[in-house]
Amino acid sequence: MDQPFSQYFGTNYAPSDEECLEINKLLEQPRARLLQIEEEISRVEKILSDLNRERDSVSDAIDKYAILLTPIRRISQDVLQEIFIRCLPTDHNAVMASNEAPLLLGRVCSSWRTTSRSTPQLWSTIHIPIPRHHASFYALDIPPGDYSELARKVVEVRATVARDWLLRSGACPVDISLNQWDEAPSTDPDLPRPLLAVVVPFSERWRKVSITAPIQSLSGITALPPAALPSLESLSLNFSRVRSWGYGVEPTSSVNKDIFRAPKLTALSLTQLREDSLRLPVKWAQLTELSLEGNAWSRESGLSPSRTLQLLSMCPQLVKCRLEVGMREISEELDVPSVRLSKLQSFSIFDAVGLGPAFERLDLPVLDNIEFHTSIWPGSTKTSLFTLLSRLQLPIRTLTTDPQIFTKDDFLETLSFVPSLKTLTLKRSLVGSPSPWTEGPGTPDVARLDDAMLRRLLIPDEEGRCLFLHLTTFEIFSDLTFRDETLLQCIQGRVSSEGVTNLKRVYIQFNRQKGVDILPALSSFVEDGLSIELFYLAYQQRGPFSPSDGLPPAPLPAGIPWFRGF
């Protein structure tokens, strides 16, 4: 239907007086209809508003009754306590943070607060960070004097919280970790003492204790007599690297170490020890776990191949062992007897001297898990790992190493010794690993995690040969250069290959930004059970008074070791 004057719509046409009268006459009926519509809208909106109010009123009444019917209200006290306990972290001790269990559980309601505080198991683990030195935070806009005073106040508050926390643990055995790891040479050894004074009175209930602090701070801990430690099973002491860099620090031999005589001590970890470990008053014969780190080249405490064998011979019950060996023998001949460790399942070793002859004297019938690192330049000689793997009586299932400590050919030859491998973890060494960008005359052809190497590790070659038919877990914490697309192709290719076990877990920390998001293409694999975690430069530094300080952040960029290791 034609509309009068429609030819002028959207133009700059100016109607005459007669045309204005005609247009106004045309609009009389539409304007009246518009008014009717607006009145109807107002009426309907009022009805809707009234209905909304009524709905809200009825909904509120229903909600009040529905809350009474929620299942959580009917859970028995013992079941609720069990749920609370399962909220605790499993990879570290509970932290003193209001947004994590157990403190978070007490902030929900008064009933939960009462339940949480009356559940001793909830308070049986605690991590207590000691503030770092001001110099550890270069961008911190706080004068050093003010920071030191603030740090002391933080320690006082944490000491009060820790005391109440441990009192709530009742008669339960307790796991405690304290950390004052610092890079600053002027770390205050007195700062931890208020916190140590809080935990010492509970020593009779200590089960697992891990402390990182200068030796001066630990003297009151290490001198505890065996009678004060009837339940201690695991002890980890890190004598703070900062205090062993030659800043006038006394050796660890200057303090009493009766703590090592604890009657039930079966797991011992010592880092940055500055004395002969073999002379410690440890009941070596009952140890099932042993770790000696941070002292590979120390004159006081470094291990040589012969002393390593002597130490192992003193620990026949070992199940897990982690050692760094960096002292050479005075004599080239290794004239020591063979050592049999019939229970050793996990062996982590850092070799800076060439342990092949020592490995020839080891009998490890049930060894299943090996971690190996070395500072010996790739290609200069065959790594001692060849010797260790060639002497195994059973195929190992788990291997952790750094590909960059091998030449490409040596790396692939090493892997040929472990065809039954189920877990392969590639982790960059702290020392000895060449930079992935090192090139030039004389540079060895170091194994790199590029596209070709990734394919060689995960999928069969053109002739159908596959390094690991049974591999289910693949982890990388090392420098890499392969593309996201190649990783996708390898995961898909392994699934489509006959006679090859599907991957169940893939965990990779990239040292670069994300190229292509491959997760959507793997959604069907995830539905079938694949666990895949990919991290791209996600590290964030914690603040100066973080309650989690001292615990390993997750994840770190690849190439930055995320816990003290090799």
Side-chain angles (χ1 to χ4, degrees):
M1 181 177 179
D2 293 337
Q3 292 180 297
F5 300 99
S6 60
Q7 68 273 26
Y8 301 121
F9 294 168
T11 70
N12 293 328
Y13 177 74
S16 62
D17 292 343
E18 292 79 5
E19 289 174 328
C20 286
L21 292 173
E22 186 175 354
I23 291 173
N24 282 324
K25 186 173 182 63
L26 288 171
L27 293 177
E28 288 179 357
Q29 185 174 353
R31 285 171 175 165
R33 178 55 184 159
L34 178 61
L35 182 60
Q36 292 175 354
I37 292 173
E38 291 178 344
E39 291 176 348
E40 183 67 12
I41 289 174
S42 296
R43 185 184 68 82
V44 172
E45 285 181 340
K46 184 178 183 305
I47 295 174
L48 180 61
S49 178
D50 292 341
L51 290 174
N52 281 333
R53 283 195 298 270
E54 184 178 0
R55 179 203 58 192
D56 292 343
S57 177
V58 173
S59 178
D60 289 343
I62 292 175
D63 289 344
K64 290 176 181 178
Y65 285 98
I67 290 174
L68 297 177
L69 299 175
T70 52
I72 193 68
R73 287 176 176 259
R74 304 178 63 191
I75 290 180
S76 62
Q77 179 85 350
D78 58 334
V79 173
L80 185 61
Q81 288 177 320
E82 184 64 27
I83 293 174
F84 283 2
I85 293 171
R86 292 177 182 268
C87 291
L88 293 173
T90 57
D91 56 345
H92 59 78
N93 290 339
V95 299
M96 296 185 291
S98 60
N99 61 345
E100 295 188 31
L103 291 178
L104 177 62
L105 301 172
R107 303 182 67 194
V108 176
C109 63
S110 60
S111 175
W112 280 28
R113 181 162 54 252
T114 300
T115 299
S116 65
R117 293 187 178 183
S118 60
T119 306
Q121 296 93 324
L122 273 181
W123 311 94
S124 62
T125 74
I126 183 173
H127 175 70
I128 309 173
I130 301 163
R132 298 187 177 198
H133 189 269
H134 180 273
S136 299
F137 302 94
Y138 301 105
L140 198 62
D141 190 21
I142 302 177
D146 294 346
Y147 178 87
S148 297
E149 180 62 27
L150 184 57
R152 283 191 289 270
K153 291 181 179 179
V154 169
V155 167
E156 292 175 2
V157 172
R158 288 179 177 171
T160 301
V161 173
R163 182 181 294 105
D164 293 341
W165 188 297
L166 292 172
L167 287 172
R168 292 172 190 163
S169 65
C172 290
V174 293
D175 299 346
I176 299 173
S177 54
L178 280 102
N179 186 282
Q180 193 189 14
W181 184 257
D182 225 330
E183 295 79 15
S186 54
T187 297
D188 182 4
D190 295 326
L191 194 60
R193 287 176 179 162
L195 292 167
L196 295 174
V198 166
V199 301
V200 166
F202 298 90
S203 64
E204 291 187 356
R205 292 196 285 116
W206 288 359
R207 184 182 63 170
K208 296 181 180 180
V209 174
S210 175
I211 302 178
T212 296
I215 184 60
Q216 297 94 326
S217 303
L218 293 178
S219 58
I221 297 289
T222 59
L224 288 172
L229 304 161
S231 302
L232 184 63
E233 299 175 1
S234 174
L235 176 64
S236 175
L237 296 179
N238 185 331
F239 297 103
S240 276
R241 175 172 55 183
V242 65
R243 289 289 163 178
S244 61
W245 282 354
Y247 292 102
V249 65
E250 56 186 313
T252 54
S253 58
S254 63
V255 297
N256 185 311
K257 298 187 185 62
D258 278 348
I259 191 172
F260 294 130
R261 304 180 192 273
K264 293 185 178 180
L265 185 64
T266 57
L268 178 63
S269 174
L270 300 175
T271 304
Q272 303 297 335
L273 183 72
R274 300 196 66 205
E275 63 179 292
D276 185 356
S277 56
L278 275 65
R279 295 180 179 274
L280 295 174
V282 176
K283 296 182 178 180
W284 300 103
Q286 72 180 30
L287 291 184
T288 59
E289 298 183 22
L290 174 64
S291 174
L292 298 177
E293 297 183 274
N295 54 2
W297 294 282
S298 169
R299 291 182 179 180
E300 300 99 333
S301 56
L303 291 173
S304 64
S306 60
R307 288 175 60 78
T308 298
L309 291 174
Q310 180 183 355
L311 174 65
L312 293 176
S313 68
M314 297 162 60
C315 309
Q317 302 299 318
L318 282 182
V319 176
K320 295 182 179 180
C321 182
R322 188 178 187 92
L323 300 176
E324 293 181 353
V325 182
M327 301 302 293
R328 296 191 178 278
E329 297 290 349
I330 298 177
S331 172
E332 294 185 2
E333 295 294 329
L334 188 61
D335 186 17
V336 292
S338 298
V339 177
R340 178 181 174 84
L341 298 175
S342 60
K343 299 180 180 181
L344 188 67
Q345 298 176 12
S346 177
F347 192 26
S348 299
I349 193 78
F350 170 76
D351 176 11
V353 296
L355 286 170
F359 287 158
E360 289 179 352
R361 289 165 172 77
L362 282 180
D363 183 9
L364 311 172
V366 297
L367 186 63
D368 186 60
N369 182 336
I370 293 177
E371 179 170 358
F372 179 84
H373 297 269
T374 181
S375 61
I376 300 174
W377 192 251
S380 58
T381 183
K382 291 283 189 181
T383 69
S384 57
L385 182 60
F386 280 96
T387 304
L388 181 60
L389 292 176
S390 64
R391 290 181 52 79
L392 295 181
Q393 301 177 25
L394 296 174
I396 67 167
R397 306 293 182 181
T398 301
L399 175 65
T400 300
T401 192
D402 179 4
Q404 295 177 149
I405 62 176
F406 303 87
T407 64
K408 183 184 299 182
D409 291 340
D410 285 351
F411 183 55
L412 293 175
E413 184 179 353
T414 300
L415 297 181
S416 69
F417 280 94
V418 288
S420 299
L421 208 64
K422 289 190 174 182
T423 298
L424 177 61
T425 300
L426 304 177
K427 184 178 70 174
R428 193 171 194 266
S429 303
L430 272 181
V431 295
S433 178
S435 166
W437 302 280
T438 300
E439 295 181 359
T443 301
D445 185 17
V446 173
R448 308 292 190 196
L449 291 176
D450 54 18
D451 287 351
M453 180 60 73
L454 187 67
R455 293 190 182 97
R456 190 73 182 88
L457 293 176
L458 295 183
I459 57 178
D461 59 17
E462 295 178 352
E463 299 179 4
R465 297 173 301 184
C466 185
L467 275 175
F468 309 116
L469 294 175
H470 309 290
L471 192 69
T472 58
T473 299
F474 184 58
E475 302 174 323
I476 297 180
F477 306 89
S478 182
D479 299 298
L480 52 85
T481 60
F482 61 77
R483 298 170 300 143
D484 298 304
E485 297 93 330
T486 306
L487 176 61
L488 174 62
Q489 293 167 6
C490 289
I491 296 176
Q492 294 174 331
R494 191 171 180 89
V495 171
S496 62
S497 300
E498 294 184 3
V500 179
T501 303
N502 293 344
L503 290 172
K504 295 181 179 179
R505 171 175 163 79
V506 176
Y507 185 103
I508 300 177
Q509 293 183 6
F510 290 87
N511 53 343
R512 59 169 173 79
Q513 298 294 323
K514 182 188 298 184
V516 176
D517 185 4
I518 66 173
L519 294 181
L522 293 172
S523 58
S524 61
F525 298 87
V526 173
E527 292 175 358
D528 290 338
L530 172 65
S531 170
I532 180 166
E533 297 178 85
L534 308 178
F535 298 96
Y536 299 84
L537 292 176
Y539 174 67
Q540 293 182 350
Q541 184 178 5
R542 295 183 177 126
F545 301 120
S546 169
S548 299
D549 198 23
L551 298 175
L556 282 172
I560 301 179
W562 58 294
F563 59 88
R564 170 63 187 151
F566 303 116

